[in-house]
Amino acid sequence: MQNVAVAAVDWGTSSFRLWLLDQTGMPLAEVRGDQGMAALKPEDYGVVLETALTKTDAPADAPVIICGMAGAAQGWRPAPYFDLPADLSVLHEQACSVDGMGRDIRILPGLAQRNPNAPDVMRGEETLLLGATLAQGIQERTVCLPGTHSKWASIIGGNVKSFGTAMTGEIFGLLAKSSTLSHFIELREEVSQNSSFSSAVAESLDAPEALLRRLFSVRSGPLLFGEKVAKEAAARLSGLLIGSEIAAFRAETEDVLLVASGKLANAYARALGVAGVKFDQIDAEVLTRSGLAYAAGRIWPERFVR
Amino acid sequence: MQNVAVAAVDWGTSSFRLWLLDQTGMPLAEVRGDQGMAALKPEDYGVVLETALTKTDAPADAPVIICGMAGAAQGWRPAPYFDLPADLSVLHEQACSVDGMGRDIRILPGLAQRNPNAPDVMRGEETLLLGATLAQGIQERTVCLPGTHSKWASIIGGNVKSFGTAMTGEIFGLLAKSSTLSHFIELREEVSQNSSFSSAVAESLDAPEALLRRLFSVRSGPLLFGEKVAKEAAARLSGLLIGSEIAAFRAETEDVLLVASGKLANAYARALGVAGVKFDQIDAEVLTRSGLAYAAGRIWPERFVR
């Protein structure tokens, strides 16, 4: 394949995504899989990577830039944490090299907030923030990155000043699949299209202290009021949790950049609307690729068009 | 066995407890097991019950009074819900009979709060409330029944006026056993003895809207600050959740009767203390037995001493 500058990989807990990028950072080919950290032993990562590179016909000399959980203690190689306040233009300087693979492979650091009163870590999202600050030029903004572990980051002067994590997606999954609420939860629907989603968001914003007390209504409502209420259960659970997340970060919700894709983006856009929060939206994958391309361009400048 | 009035059974989601009661309601023998609703098919209940009755040498004519999930739709026989406001002195009148077992077996109803804005149900706790109101004579009180699903009930004029449910115990279990927090959670310890428990309770009471955002610190704290913080993880998780439950019911926390036993009682007593809530404490099993004995005395008065 012509003009391949690098292979860029977003390696999460439950997903693997690889793109071949050209000399301007544009994607030429991609591979997606579910071989995330949770499914892999350290010795598996090299095989998964080389299989994807072969599938995309990547040149033998193409270097690889990786972000995400591949750099966790339980991942491929432990990449360090980069401390706050974080100037992401030098994030790549602390990347961890993976030796013995016959090509140049680097794993980007995560970020650590070493505040004893609000300790926090991220792996993967720093690369989206790199895309937002360096590739998109964002200087002052709250960035909301919804997901299994939603991250809310404050960008000040182009640096990551602080961030917080809400386990919204993980708790939704646990309650939807493994709890006494599960019986009434239908996971296929697009929750944000259901009016119960908006009203549940509003309930959580109105009484954010009442989350633990409201969740059980997702079960007791259908038990007492039947099928019509049961159909709203997934939307209601999602709305209660996302509303609660927004309430938790309300002090930081001025002028938000929402970084998400698909159904998740729709749900958060709707919820931020209910909360009356002004926001712009940008696709998460676009930012991931631009963050990876930026870091790769600093490590291997000769492979990119300046 | 002499003087057995009835067999009294508390049949929960994950536990089975049977007591033989004498003619004054005092326990003569008991059997405990983990054959709760979650582990049983409808056809299993009769076998579990008869095995326990045989083990305690119960007379062939002893009737059986049951409360709890045996009366749920997924239980043994569906017992109805009793509506609010609930005069529990007549709860037994809506008990469900189990036929064909060769003895008189009744399952007590649960309670339903048919309020579309706060739908709620309970099965089992109504019997503790029966013990509190009829056997203990409580007329005006908030009763806190901690557990997998904690219940907070308002007793007014001796009747159950309203109640709410917090899924505190279930969410603790899911997060402690099946989440990204699990790695640092040591379940054997007595959490309320750890100073991190009290400070986490206080954190949740101070900023009750921030629950979803604080939970992740149970993981990120140990990741960044090591073993000392890791040892506090279970206490911290429990404290954040129990503090959040108390915050959710804060408007109802005047003059609370805490109904619990063992470690759970210790944890809630400590947390109510941190919250500055005045409370008395009573053992949950004592109330369950007195509630079952009261209902049995109304159904089979000839078997009890008046």
Side-chain angles (χ1 to χ4, degrees), chain A residues 138 140-144 152-155 246 249-258 272 275-280:
Chain A
I138 286 169
E140 317 286 331
R141 204 74 188 269
T142 296
V143 183
C144 167
W152 291 69
S154 293
I155 307 296
I246 293 173
F249 287 96
R250 196 177 292 190
E252 286 115 284
T253 55
E254 230 176 282
D255 198 16
V256 167
L257 178 66
L258 173 61
L272 288 168
V277 174
K278 211 180 98 191
F279 68 97
D280 301 312

Side-chain angles (χ1 to χ4, degrees), chain B:
Chain B
M1 189 175 280
Q2 293 286 310
N3 300 321
V4 172
V6 296
V9 180
D10 179 10
W11 216 322
T13 301
S14 56
S15 67
F16 168 88
R17 289 177 296 181
L18 176 146
W19 299 277
L20 298 187
L21 302 183
D22 73 11
Q23 294 160 313
T24 67
M26 287 296 106
L28 297 166
E30 72 168 43
V31 176
R32 291 163 181 269
D34 54 6
Q35 307 99 328
M37 181 188 71
L40 299 176
K41 297 196 201 85
E43 59 269 28
D44 301 331
Y45 285 79
V47 180
V48 172
L49 178 61
E50 285 302 330
T51 304
L53 289 169
T54 303
K55 197 183 287 184
T56 51
D57 246 346
D61 68 338
V64 180
I65 182 91
I66 301 173
C67 70
M69 297 304 282
Q74 300 90 19
W76 191 3
R77 292 281 190 283
Y81 285 117
F82 196 82
D83 287 344
L84 300 192
D87 172 3
L88 298 176
S89 70
V90 293
L91 183 74
H92 63 279
E93 292 176 5
Q94 292 186 28
C96 155
S97 287
V98 181
D99 298 328
M101 290 292 297
R103 64 172 88 227
D104 193 351
I105 301 175
R106 315 279 178 105
I107 305 177
L108 288 171
L111 297 189
Q113 178 167 283
R114 299 183 192 276
N115 172 350
N117 296 318
D120 220 322
V121 293
M122 63 167 65
R123 282 202 186 275
E125 295 89 354
E126 74 295 325
T127 301
L128 289 116
L129 294 173
L130 174 56
T133 52
L134 277 302
Q136 308 281 331
I138 285 168
Q139 289 288 308
E140 318 286 332
R141 206 73 189 269
T142 295
V143 183
C144 167
L145 306 133
T148 305
H149 293 168
S150 294
K151 304 287 181 182
W152 291 69
S154 292
I155 308 296
I156 296 181
N159 295 339
V160 183
K161 187 70 187 310
S162 63
F163 65 91
T165 299
M167 296 176 65
T168 313
E170 184 170 11
I171 291 177
F172 178 85
L174 288 169
L175 292 174
K177 290 177 207 151
S178 313
S179 82
T180 51
L181 307 183
S182 312
H183 184 67
F184 295 108
I185 305 291
E186 170 57 70
L187 284 174
R188 278 166 302 179
E189 70 168 312
E190 167 114 30
V191 295
S192 61
Q193 298 306 307
N194 191 315
S195 67
S196 291
F197 176 80
S198 301
S199 58
V201 169
E203 272 182 57
S204 275
L205 288 164
D206 286 348
E209 76 287 356
L211 178 65
L212 285 184
R213 144 174 219 178
R214 285 187 189 280
L215 289 171
F216 191 62
S217 67
V218 172
R219 177 174 172 84
S220 49
L223 278 176
L224 295 180
F225 298 111
E227 201 180 341
K228 188 175 164 295
V229 176
K231 283 189 175 159
E232 299 164 356
R236 187 164 162 74
L237 176 60
S238 178
L240 288 174
L241 290 170
I242 293 175
S244 180
E245 175 185 333
I246 293 173
F249 287 96
R250 195 177 292 189
E252 286 114 287
T253 54
E254 230 175 283
D255 197 17
V256 167
L257 179 66
L258 173 60
V259 179
S261 310
K263 287 182 186 179
L264 201 61
N266 296 344
Y268 275 75
R270 183 76 168 259
L272 288 168
V274 171
V277 174
K278 210 180 97 191
F279 67 96
D280 300 313
Q281 204 172 323
I282 189 166
D283 186 82
E285 283 198 15
V286 169
L287 273 198
T288 301
R289 283 199 304 265
S290 66
L292 286 165
Y294 182 92
R298 300 297 295 267
I299 298 172
W300 305 290
E302 71 285 359
R303 301 190 66 90
F304 288 83
V305 177
R306 313 217 86 211

